[in-house]
Amino acid sequence: DADVTQTPRNRITKTGKRIMLECSQTKGHDRMYWYRQDPGLGLRLIYYSFDVKDINKGEISDGYSVSRQAQAKFSLSLESAIPNQTALYFCATAYGDTQYFGPGTRLTVL
Amino acid sequence: GENVEQHPSTLSVQEGDSAVIKCTYSDSASNYFPWYKQELGKRPQLIIDIRSNVGEKKDQRIAVTLNKTAKHFSLHITETQPEDSAVYFCAAAMNSGYSTLTFGKGTMLLVSP
């Protein structure tokens, strides 16, 4: 679904580095989410935003921060990356009950 | 908060067989239960959902059943095909719309030709 895009698609970084993952959408949806996917652990919610002025912590927000720059943009930051933040990260938007996922960003922290 | 358990973690079937994936949830206030399919290397996509006022919902070869009393719901896939091979996630939410989904850990379904 090209309406939800994520950059970068792959990133390798070192412990202690600051990393920003970006999500953009052209769907015009107010609700946006950041998830983390690890093998055997499913999809876990990091942060979510119901509109530009709304930011909420999810299940696993420690070590992460977000910024909702506009309706269309929702960025996830790792202030000081650590190896156990190595994972596949998905951004999603929602309209009605359906969530629409981006293609994912594979992040490796060495 | 809500907790969703999903079983089995892996499921192997022969083409043409049926597959059943089961989930249980902990919060009786949950009333919306979607299922997402994630093909290898792809993003999760919604395939079917059910609300608590409905006991069963079908869409061609897939169906979902809900037992509110027991707090469990299941995905049924009949006449499986190789293209059904994927990871399937169940989820639960207290209210559809302005709430968050709690996902199960996923089931990897492998359909052998």
Side-chain angles (χ1 to χ4, degrees), chain B residues 21-107:
Chain B
I21 302 170
K22 299 181 179 181
C23 289
T24 60
Y25 60 98
S26 61
D27 195 330
S28 57
S30 290
N31 58 12
Y32 174 64
F33 308 94
W35 287 86
Y36 283 77
K37 175 183 179 182
Q38 184 182 25
E39 297 177 359
L40 184 64
K42 300 291 182 64
R43 68 194 76 190
Q45 291 188 303
L46 178 71
I47 56 171
I48 194 167
D49 57 15
I50 192 168
R51 302 177 196 284
S52 59
N53 60 345
V54 175
E56 183 176 3
K57 184 176 179 180
K58 290 183 179 180
D59 183 2
Q60 299 183 337
R61 295 187 297 107
I62 62 173
V64 58
T65 58
L66 171 65
N67 182 325
K68 288 171 54 179
T69 302
K71 289 190 285 188
H72 68 68
F73 56 111
S74 300
L75 179 71
H76 304 253
I77 306 174
T78 58
E79 301 174 20
T80 55
Q81 302 168 3
E83 52 264 39
D84 294 328
S85 295
V87 177
Y88 292 81
F89 294 100
C90 63
M94 271 189 271
N95 292 294
S96 58
Y98 283 81
S99 66
T100 60
L101 293 175
T102 299
F103 285 88
K105 290 181 169 55
T107 296

Side-chain angles (χ1 to χ4, degrees), chain A residues 27-84:
Chain A
K27 289 183 168 295
H29 297 166
D30 287 326
R31 286 175 281 148
M32 298 187 74
Y33 307 78
W34 275 104
Y35 291 94
R36 168 178 173 161
Q37 184 176 20
D38 298 275
L41 295 180
L43 294 158
R44 293 182 292 167
L45 183 62
I46 306 172
Y47 270 96
Y48 61 102
S49 170
F50 286 159
D51 64 45
V52 174
K53 297 180 181 179
D54 178 70
I55 299 290
N56 302 281
K57 292 182 177 180
E59 176 188 355
I60 54 164
S61 60
D62 287 350
Y64 302 95
S65 62
V66 292
S67 174
R68 185 79 184 267
Q69 300 95 323
Q71 185 198 43
K73 296 185 181 296
F74 192 35
S75 300
L76 176 72
S77 293
L78 289 67
E79 295 302 325
S80 180
I82 56 177
N84 77 358

